[in-house]
């Protein structure tokens, strides 16, 4: 049984709403009251100092979700390690696991991935990031942008499950969950030389976005592939080079 024991209204409101949103049963007591016999973990605020024989989690009023993640990890007997799995692509799937529990999931544009991961790993215990080896160029840029944490490159073959009716759009996130659970090879960076096919696709995308139906040259396409330029920036340089 989860017991919420705090006189801090913001902590109480945030913690109780988080527990209700997740459908997790709990009870409340006034600070200083005896805990129920079935108490397994106590959630309190910065003002609380319960005398308890069970684990105590202190919730930040500005981030109750993180406290509930910790509470659920305690209840499920997890080892407490935070592992983030990333399925790279234009909109990477991101899964945050603590022990055996999935505590958060995201599906965001590639440019936001590193910021999301950094937020999730703030104050995390012994964090680890595992990223799939697909979408090589995007994955390499994500690795370069990630915070200073251990990173493993994972063979993502077979990590995307079959998606039944109504599950459209969940594949990247579910793949990220599987990636988080697979041991990989530790890396610090990933140097990638774009293939001829990747350069061709970038040039085709630049033509589609060009107002004059003109593609950027190969040098600019390589800089886009390396993450040095966006396609609109490359098109602007291309126009300047042509004197337009």
């Amino acid at each position: 049984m989860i017991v919420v024991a705090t006189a801090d209204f913001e902590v109480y409101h945030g913690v109780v709403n988080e527990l209700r949103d997740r459908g997790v049963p709990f009870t409340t007591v006034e600070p200083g009251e005896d805990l129920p016999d079935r108490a397994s973990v106590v959630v309190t605020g910065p003002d609380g100092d319960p005398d308890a024989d069970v684990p105590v989690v202190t919730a930040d009023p500005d981030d109750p979700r993180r406290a509930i993640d910790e509470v659920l990890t305690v209840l499920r007997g997890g080892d407490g390690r935070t592992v983030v799995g990333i399925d790279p692509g234009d909109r990477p799937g991101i899964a945050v696991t603590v022990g055996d529990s999935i505590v958060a999931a995201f599906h965001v544009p590639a440019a936001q991935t590193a910021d999301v991961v950094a937020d999730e790993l703030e104050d995390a215990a012994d964090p680890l990031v595992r990223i799939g080896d697909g979408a090589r160029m995007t994955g390499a840029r994500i690795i370069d942008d990630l915070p200073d944490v251990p990173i493993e490159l994972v063979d993502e073959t077979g990590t995307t499950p079959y998606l039944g009716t109504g599950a459209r759009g969940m594949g990247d996130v579910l793949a990220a969950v599987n990636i988080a659970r697979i041991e990989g090879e530790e890396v610090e960076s990933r140097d990638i030389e774009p293939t001829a096919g990747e350069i061709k696709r970038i040039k085709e995308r630049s033509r589609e976005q060009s107002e004059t139906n003109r593609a950027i040259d190969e040098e600019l396409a390589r800089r886009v592939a390396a993450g040095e330029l966006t396609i609109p920036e490359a098109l602007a340089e291309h126009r300047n080079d042509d004197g337009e």
Side-chain angles (χ1 to χ4, degrees), residues 34 42-44 51 57 75 88-89 102 119 134 152 171 174 176 202 210 232-233 235:
D34 291 339
V42 177
V43 188
T44 187
D51 182 13
V57 174
L75 290 179
I102 303 165
D119 288 344
E152 291 182 0
L174 294 174
I202 290 172
S210 170
E233 290 169 342
L235 284 167

Side-chain angles (χ1 to χ4, degrees), residues 27 29 34 59 61 85 140 146 156 162 171-172 194 198 207 210 233 242:
T27 189
V29 299
D34 291 339
L146 287 172
E156 64 176 54
Y162 167 75
D172 296 332
E198 288 166 338
R207 183 184 300 279
S210 170
E233 290 169 342
D242 287 346

Side-chain angles (χ1 to χ4, degrees), residues 75-238:
L75 290 179
R76 294 167 181 166
D79 62 10
R81 187 175 201 189
T82 301
V83 179
V84 177
I86 303 173
D87 181 34
D90 290 339
R91 289 183 61 85
I94 304 171
V96 184
T97 66
V98 179
D100 293 330
S101 302
I102 303 165
V103 299
F106 305 87
H107 198 208
V108 299
Q112 298 178 18
T113 302
D115 289 338
V116 169
V117 173
D119 288 344
E120 291 302 308
L121 293 185
E122 186 177 1
D123 300 325
D126 191 21
L128 172 65
V129 174
R130 288 174 171 156
I131 183 168
D133 61 358
R136 302 175 317 130
M137 303 304 301
T138 302
R141 291 196 293 270
I142 291 173
I143 289 173
D144 289 342
D145 291 341
L146 287 172
D148 186 18
V149 295
I151 302 170
E152 291 182 0
L153 188 65
V154 171
D155 180 356
E156 64 176 54
T157 304
T159 55
T160 301
Y162 167 75
L163 299 177
T165 303
R168 183 179 179 182
M170 296 176 60
D172 296 332
V173 173
L174 294 174
V177 172
N178 288 330
I179 287 168
R181 293 172 171 166
I182 299 172
E183 290 188 11
E185 177 184 354
E186 189 166 347
V187 296
E188 294 183 358
S189 63
R190 193 179 187 195
D191 295 327
I192 296 295
E193 179 66 21
T195 65
E198 288 166 338
I199 294 296
K200 181 180 178 181
R201 283 192 294 274
I202 290 172
K203 293 172 74 172
E204 288 173 349
R205 286 167 56 197
S206 72
R207 183 184 300 279
E208 292 169 358
Q209 296 182 35
S210 170
E211 295 178 357
T212 57
N213 195 35
R214 296 180 62 188
I216 58 177
D217 59 32
E218 182 164 335
E219 180 181 351
L220 287 172
R222 288 183 176 276
R223 292 178 64 188
V224 171
E228 298 175 11
L229 295 173
T230 64
I231 287 180
E233 290 169 342
L235 284 167
E237 285 205 19
H238 188 62

Side-chain angles (χ1 to χ4, degrees), residues 30-44:
E30 293 293 330
E33 286 185 0
D34 291 339
L35 298 177
D37 291 339
R38 294 190 300 124
S40 301
V41 58
V42 177
V43 188
T44 187

